[in-house]
Amino acid sequence: MSACRYLMVGLLSILVAATNLAMAQGRPYPAQGQSIKIIVPFGPGGSADIIARMFGQYLEGKTNQPVIVENKPGASGMIGTEYVKNAAPDGYTLLLSTNTTLAANMGLFKKVPYDPMKDFQHIGMFGSAPLAVLVLKDSGLNSINDLVVYAKANPGKVFYGYYNSASQMAAELFRTKTGAPLNGIPYKTIGNAEQDLYGKQIQVMFMEYLPATAQIDGGKVVALGVTGTSRYSAWPQVPTVAQTYPGYELSFWAGLAAPAGTPPDVVKKLDGWMIEALKDPGFVARLKQYGLEPAKLSQPEYERYVGSEIKRWGQMIRDAKIEQQ
């Protein structure tokens, strides 16, 4: 093939790609009758699941199109996240992303089947919230210091259950800061871990506010502390861990992402709907009801934030001397 023909083939390929992009951008989004799917890479009942369903309802009201929330748990969120990475970049398959999937996993695992910065278009951040340190009500433990003392007096006998990297890192940071010899047990879903807490196979869980509230209201568990820098207004009697062990702080955050290559006009629409949701008094009130502080980041700021979180969580994991799996 001559150089001229190579040039012609190359130009034709560029023209076809540009034409396809223009056609995609020219179509209405979402198309009439075509559902939008939000993939939650964790089991039902956790913070990511609840946020996805809240936004799904809001999105249905804005688009008049069906929004389906689908749980794809496993491998610390990597199964569902990889699924979205490989989905068509058309705006109809979205990811409820978190610091577990986008940041912590990069430091915890040797092989992650996606690149959080190259494989996704980060649309926006919903908000962040600290976790609660939960034990059974009849455990005899009444404070963070009680837990530390008990763990030190019973080395090898105090276990925490984790269902994502945030719940694992909250416990590992606690172990590093307090010297309490906690041992971690992984679970596929938050529900599986809760069952073992009730059955006393594990003694403590570090859980996001949304599901923790339901457990506390059920009367079986109590919160010894919260992992943020300030107390919850709903739990003014529960101290922060940092009040006993200064410097301890860890929060959960969640956002929305699409596969890389999603048309810019589709991303702009989704970003606009997220901005509207985070300005809607009813939506914001529901977020705060579940302990989340709504985000105030622009789309470029959020993308930079994800990059900075990858570095921060990587450093926390190295400081905790957690060996990559």
Side-chain angles (χ1 to χ4, degrees):
M1 185 181 289
S2 66
C4 183
R5 290 186 67 187
Y6 275 120
L7 180 60
M8 289 295 292
V9 170
L11 289 172
L12 182 60
S13 298
I14 293 171
L15 181 60
V16 169
T19 301
N20 288 340
L21 178 60
M23 289 175 64
Q25 292 178 337
R27 299 190 191 106
Y29 173 81
Q32 184 66 33
Q34 187 163 354
S35 62
I36 297 171
K37 187 159 56 176
I38 301 176
I39 300 299
V40 178
F42 307 105
S47 296
D49 181 63
I50 295 170
I51 294 168
R53 295 181 191 281
M54 284 175 55
F55 185 64
Q57 290 177 357
Y58 186 87
L59 202 53
E60 280 189 343
K62 284 291 180 180
T63 64
N64 293 316
Q65 302 300 324
V67 178
I68 300 167
V69 175
E70 184 176 339
N71 299 90
K72 286 188 175 292
S76 200
M78 289 190 284
I79 290 174
T81 304
E82 184 183 20
Y83 176 87
V84 176
K85 166 198 165 182
N86 294 327
D90 53 13
Y92 292 100
T93 304
L94 307 174
L95 174 69
L96 199 293
S97 52
T98 71
N99 45 359
T100 286
T101 52
L102 297 185
N105 283 353
M106 310 312 294
L108 289 171
F109 299 97
K110 293 177 182 177
K111 293 184 178 180
V112 178
Y114 54 83
D115 185 310
M117 300 306 293
K118 294 180 180 178
D119 292 331
F120 299 98
Q121 172 64 61
H122 301 295
I123 296 164
M125 180 176 170
F126 289 106
S128 62
L131 289 75
V133 186
L134 300 183
V135 297
L136 287 179
K137 200 168 186 177
D138 63 1
S139 67
L141 305 175
N142 299 305
S143 69
I144 288 295
N145 198 53
D146 282 354
L147 174 61
V148 173
V149 170
Y150 180 77
K152 288 181 177 180
N154 296 274
K157 295 181 180 180
V158 180
F159 297 87
Y160 70 87
Y162 64 92
Y163 49 93
N164 60 26
S165 297
S167 60
Q168 179 186 14
M169 279 308 303
E172 288 298 319
L173 187 61
F174 185 88
R175 178 182 59 79
T176 302
K177 291 288 185 181
T178 67
L182 305 182
N183 303 279
I185 299 179
Y187 291 88
K188 187 174 182 179
T189 70
I190 188 172
N192 298 143
E194 288 169 350
Q195 288 175 5
D196 274 6
L197 180 64
Y198 296 149
K200 300 185 179 181
Q201 280 77 42
I202 58 176
Q203 287 70 46
V204 60
M205 286 184 68
F206 290 72
M207 189 184 296
E208 298 96 349
Y209 178 93
L210 283 71
T213 299
Q215 299 306 314
I216 291 170
D217 289 347
K220 291 185 178 181
V221 301
V222 294
L224 299 182
V226 293
T227 67
T229 55
S230 59
R231 299 188 184 206
Y232 287 136
S233 58
W235 304 341
Q237 77 284 4
V238 180
T240 65
V241 176
Q243 286 179 245
T244 307
Y245 295 93
Y248 179 95
E249 187 273 328
L250 188 138
S251 294
F252 157 88
W253 54 259
L256 190 70
T262 300
D265 66 321
V266 173
V267 173
K268 186 176 180 180
K269 280 191 174 183
L270 289 165
D271 180 37
W273 287 322
M274 278 196 72
I275 290 172
E276 289 178 22
L278 291 169
K279 289 181 179 179
D280 181 275
F283 188 85
V284 169
R286 290 186 67 194
L287 282 182
K288 289 188 173 183
Q289 176 187 349
Y290 290 121
L292 270 88
E293 185 61 36
K296 298 178 181 178
L297 301 178
S298 66
Q299 186 187 3
E301 287 172 337
Y302 176 53
E303 192 141 4
R304 289 194 293 271
Y305 178 75
V306 172
S308 68
E309 282 289 273
I310 293 171
K311 294 178 182 177
R312 188 174 79 90
W313 282 75
Q315 188 60 55
M316 282 196 296
I317 290 163
R318 288 190 292 274
D319 289 346
K321 294 181 172 57
I322 300 173
E323 188 174 342
Q324 283 190 321
Q325 300 176 36

